[in-house]
Amino acid sequence: MFCRAFRVRSSTAIKGSDRRKLRADVAAAFPNLSAEQLTEFIPNKEELNVVKIYTHKGEAVTVYTNNRNPILFEVEKALYPTVYALWVYPDLLPAFSTWPPVLQKLAGGADLMLPGVIVPPSGFPQVERGMLCAVTLLGNRAPVAVTVATMSTVEMLAAGMKGKGFAVLHTYMDHLWEYGDKSYPPTLAPLVTDPAEKESANGEEEMEEKEPVSSFPIEPLQHGGIGDLSLKEQDSCAILVGKEEHNENKAAETAEDDNTEVQQEAEDSRTPQEQMDALFSQCFFHALKCKVKKSDLPLLTSTFLRSHMFPCCPAGQQLDIKKSSYKKFSKFLQCMQHQKILQVKELSKGVESIVEVDWKHPDIKAFTVPEGFSSASAAQDCKSEDKEQVYHAPEIIPLYGVSTKMVPLFQESGHKKGSILSSSEVRNIIINYVKTNELVDEANKNFVKVNAILCDCLLDKSEQDEISNLKWDDLLSRCLERLQPLHQVTFFGQEPIVRKGRIEPIDITIAQRSSNKKVTIIKNLELYGLDPQSVANILQQKVQASATITPVPGTKDRVQVQIQGNQIHHLAKMLLEEYQLPRKYIQGLEKAPKLGRKK
């Protein structure tokens, strides 16, 4: 529910009578809390707020915060605790345990499948379908996820621990957790009640002395999910899980005899998300091994995905990052970078490129091209895909961030410093503020009366004694000017990226070289998802003139295209007509040579 950013609509303090009502609601929802615990949970004097938000899917959610940490959230009149609350009351909900690498998948929006649930020696807690449950990690009783059981305990065991067991609502490291102080889970020792479990715990301690294991608390982005592990680590992880199940089921001989069948069954039992993760890994290594050359670097990450990984996708399948656990291609590349397979850098503001690849990495060397991908067919597929892959101009939306000076004007609507808004949202907030505070001039409704907050936020010091009202247009334009400029760029098939400032236009200039020769220089192509080398190659073929890539003077790792002659006419046709880029994002088209009159 909170795997993506949500939007805050309002935030108000909870007063006496509302606190008592909330305490009564919590007591009804969680009857195992004592009166003393209820008073601690919903205190009488500490700062309590109710925050109205909308999730990325448009769901209306009410969040209750204590000292700015979310402690409860309410959906359709049902109350749910957050991980912050469960760290204080770890036994509030029945808990099920899973492996630490699964956490990253859950935080990315995945539900918890039953094969990922660890069966304790003492057995599962008895739950019914639809009951609220917590998820913990092996070795720590501190909950890391709030879920709803999709099966009863009896149904889980009857299904052979296969299928979806829990629908995940909220996790440690998701955006609701980020709304708080971003603290780590405490280390809470498991409750050992079963003698067999005690022996198992002692055995684990002995193993820990031999092989050091990472301890809690888990720091975000440093302990990734299964997708962050190298292929060898994934294999070892699978072997460990396999051994444990193998010991429990006492089926060693059968597993050895039917190895091929078990492998096929494992592949078939993978979730669609796991299958998409595997497809991305396959196409990634295939592209690095067969398509990318050292001379291609630095290579735009968007170009790598579009022109190198897409052609490596098997027939009948399609890469879709949104259906994977990564959700963003940049996160997938971060995992690969964590494994030291490649290095990604931001060569220009907000644009990432692959700058280095470890061609000797064991995972690249061990990768074998799947059957049906011969070198000839791969090259042919690549050519056909290149023809089909059409450049799509990015969608660019101007946004505005609430600055420190403008906070008083926006805090009534629940926004704080750094909140990101579109121009239409800013307009609606200002209109609502004016109407709520009855600032419309009764004599002339085209004007707005300037109160103390509008005066401080929108007027310069020299104007504060002179201006008592503003026109609506002037009011809105002054407001937009004083907000922090931002912009959102959405490339085809990728998640939106928000960058600071206004987007720089593609800059086209004409420079004079020796012997009175002119050259056309094009900058900032990367900001719009265009590969400078590809643009240079296309221009060179079209105009039959020399085109080169040169460093941008005074910058590090930024490049520009330089082509002989004044080629602005050809550039304009390519950028405006072929690539469908809006004219407002191209600077310098007026420098095109004037066409002579025909006689």
Side-chain angles (χ1 to χ4, degrees):
M1 181 176 287
F2 304 105
C3 61
R4 296 189 190 177
F6 53 78
R7 186 157 291 175
V8 176
R9 288 302 179 187
S10 65
S11 177
T12 54
I14 304 177
K15 297 182 180 179
S17 59
D18 293 330
R19 288 188 187 222
R20 288 191 292 273
K21 182 180 181 304
L22 178 60
R23 193 178 293 120
D25 291 341
V26 172
F30 309 108
N32 51 340
L33 284 174
S34 65
E36 185 180 348
Q37 289 175 324
L38 278 171
T39 306
E40 290 175 355
F41 201 168
I42 310 296
N44 292 319
K45 294 183 179 180
E46 290 182 24
E47 180 187 353
L48 279 178
N49 289 284
V50 57
V51 183
K52 304 283 187 180
I53 67 170
Y54 285 116
T55 67
H56 68 283
K57 291 184 177 180
E59 298 167 304
V61 179
T62 302
V63 178
Y64 297 95
T65 65
N66 182 357
N67 291 321
R68 299 186 179 181
N69 266 358
I71 55 171
L72 294 163
F73 62 96
E74 185 177 2
V75 184
E76 296 179 354
K77 297 184 178 180
L79 280 175
Y80 304 92
T82 68
V83 290
Y84 289 108
L86 292 178
W87 293 342
V88 181
Y89 309 103
D91 302 319
L92 186 63
L93 303 177
F96 292 77
S97 188
T98 187
W99 307 97
V102 176
L103 174 59
Q104 194 80 8
K105 302 287 185 183
L106 302 182
D111 289 323
L112 181 58
M113 310 303 286
L114 288 176
V117 178
I118 299 170
V119 181
S122 56
F124 287 140
Q126 294 300 312
V127 299
E128 296 299 325
R129 184 184 300 184
M131 188 178 289
L132 206 56
C133 300
V135 174
T136 64
L137 299 183
L138 183 65
N140 191 357
R141 199 160 51 93
V144 294
V146 179
T147 68
V148 173
T150 58
M151 299 183 190
S152 66
T153 304
V154 174
E155 289 171 333
M156 293 178 194
L157 298 173
M161 295 304 291
K162 290 184 179 180
K164 183 167 79 171
F166 302 89
V168 176
L169 301 177
H170 155 58
T171 70
Y172 162 59
M173 291 200 305
D174 69 6
H175 285 271
L176 184 59
W177 168 81
E178 286 184 359
Y179 193 71
D181 61 13
K182 301 181 183 178
S183 53
Y184 304 146
T187 304
L188 303 176
L191 297 174
V192 181
T193 55
D194 189 77
E197 196 171 344
K198 286 183 181 178
E199 291 179 10
S200 175
N202 293 334
E204 286 178 6
E205 287 176 6
E206 292 177 7
M207 289 295 292
E208 285 176 3
E209 290 177 4
K210 296 179 182 179
E211 296 183 11
V213 184
S214 61
S215 61
F216 292 95
I218 299 176
E219 295 186 14
L221 302 180
Q222 292 185 0
H223 295 257
I226 294 172
D228 293 337
L229 303 175
S230 67
L231 295 180
K232 289 184 178 180
E233 289 170 329
Q234 287 183 39
D235 291 341
S236 63
C237 183
I239 290 168
L240 285 172
V241 177
K243 283 183 179 178
E244 185 140 342
E245 292 176 354
H246 171 84
N247 290 336
E248 290 172 1
N249 298 327
K250 297 180 181 180
E253 294 178 4
T254 307
E256 288 177 4
D257 294 338
D258 303 325
N259 186 40
T260 307
E261 292 179 11
V262 170
Q263 185 177 354
Q264 183 65 39
E265 184 181 347
E267 289 178 359
D268 294 342
S269 64
R270 290 182 305 178
T271 64
Q273 191 177 68
E274 290 170 343
Q275 292 176 20
M276 185 57 68
D277 286 352
L279 183 61
F280 259 90
S281 292
Q282 175 185 315
C283 296
F284 170 78
F285 287 110
H286 190 171
L288 287 183
K289 190 157 188 175
C290 302
K291 296 188 179 297
V292 179
K293 300 176 183 177
K294 195 172 183 180
S295 58
D296 294 334
L297 304 180
L299 179 65
L300 286 174
T301 56
S302 57
T303 303
F304 174 66
L305 175 64
R306 183 176 64 249
S307 302
H308 295 81
M309 285 183 62
F310 279 1
C312 294
C313 193
Q317 293 182 289
Q318 187 175 358
L319 289 172
D320 189 345
I321 194 68
K322 292 182 180 178
K323 293 181 181 178
S324 73
S325 64
Y326 305 100
K327 305 302 177 187
K328 294 182 180 180
F329 188 55
S330 58
K331 286 190 177 180
F332 172 78
L333 291 179
Q334 282 176 11
C335 294
M336 298 300 109
Q337 184 168 263
H338 181 69
Q339 297 173 35
K340 298 182 179 179
I341 297 172
L342 48 70
Q343 188 175 358
V344 178
K345 278 188 178 180
E346 192 175 306
L347 298 184
S348 56
K349 191 176 179 181
V351 179
E352 292 186 335
S353 298
I354 299 170
V355 295
E356 190 177 334
V357 176
D358 181 8
W359 307 104
K360 296 181 180 179
H361 194 281
D363 291 346
I364 297 179
K365 294 178 74 175
F367 179 80
T368 55
V369 178
E371 294 181 9
F373 272 99
S374 63
S375 57
S377 65
Q380 187 177 357
D381 290 344
C382 183
K383 288 179 182 178
S384 62
E385 285 284 347
D386 285 342
K387 288 179 182 178
E388 292 176 9
Q389 292 300 327
V390 179
Y391 169 79
H392 295 268
E395 182 186 2
I396 302 167
I397 301 172
L399 298 174
Y400 301 89
V402 177
S403 57
T404 305
K405 186 178 180 180
M406 298 292 284
V407 168
L409 183 55
F410 285 85
Q411 63 185 4
E412 280 191 16
S413 57
H415 297 287
K416 56 186 179 180
K417 181 184 175 182
S419 294
I420 299 173
L421 305 165
S422 65
S423 57
S424 60
E425 287 175 322
V426 172
R427 180 184 178 89
N428 291 335
I429 290 169
I430 296 301
I431 291 172
N432 289 336
Y433 176 84
V434 170
K435 290 182 178 179
T436 303
N437 291 276
E438 299 179 351
L439 298 177
V440 179
D441 193 332
E442 294 177 2
N444 188 344
K445 293 187 178 181
N446 292 326
F447 285 86
V448 174
K449 291 181 288 186
V450 176
N451 65 0
I453 290 178
L454 290 178
C455 180
D456 291 340
C457 293
L458 303 182
L459 299 184
D460 297 330
K461 287 185 178 180
S462 59
E463 299 174 322
Q464 290 181 357
D465 295 330
E466 299 175 0
I467 298 177
S468 60
N469 52 32
L470 291 168
K471 284 187 175 182
W472 277 103
D473 290 343
D474 191 14
L475 177 72
L476 294 169
S477 61
R478 282 172 179 264
C479 184
L480 292 176
E481 286 171 5
R482 283 161 175 77
L483 293 171
Q484 182 186 3
L486 306 162
H487 65 276
Q488 176 181 289
V489 182
T490 307
F491 294 103
F492 180 72
Q494 298 186 35
E495 289 291 317
I497 303 168
V498 176
R499 302 172 183 157
K500 291 183 178 180
R502 294 180 176 87
I503 190 167
E504 296 180 59
I506 293 175
D507 185 31
I508 303 171
T509 55
I510 304 297
Q512 200 85 16
R513 294 292 185 257
S514 59
S515 304
N516 203 27
K517 290 182 179 178
K518 293 181 180 180
V519 292
T520 304
I521 299 171
I522 311 109
K523 301 175 187 175
N524 302 330
L525 290 168
E526 305 97 323
L527 299 179
Y528 297 83
L530 289 167
D531 184 9
Q533 187 63 61
S534 298
V535 171
N537 293 341
I538 293 169
L539 277 174
Q540 186 169 333
Q541 293 174 2
K542 284 189 174 184
V543 303
Q544 295 298 306
S546 174
T548 57
I549 301 294
T550 60
V552 176
T555 63
K556 289 184 178 180
D557 302 322
R558 291 189 64 178
V559 296
Q560 60 189 15
V561 176
Q562 182 174 296
I563 186 165
Q564 288 183 357
N566 187 331
Q567 309 296 348
I568 293 182
H569 278 306
H570 295 282
L571 262 174
K573 185 176 181 182
M574 183 171 71
L575 296 175
L576 296 174
E577 297 178 17
E578 295 179 24
Y579 293 162
Q580 296 289 311
L581 283 167
R583 184 178 285 271
K584 64 182 177 180
Y585 296 124
I586 305 170
Q587 179 179 285
L589 293 179
E590 70 281 358
K591 297 170 186 175
K594 294 181 180 179
L595 298 175
R597 294 181 180 177
K598 294 182 180 180
K599 295 183 179 179

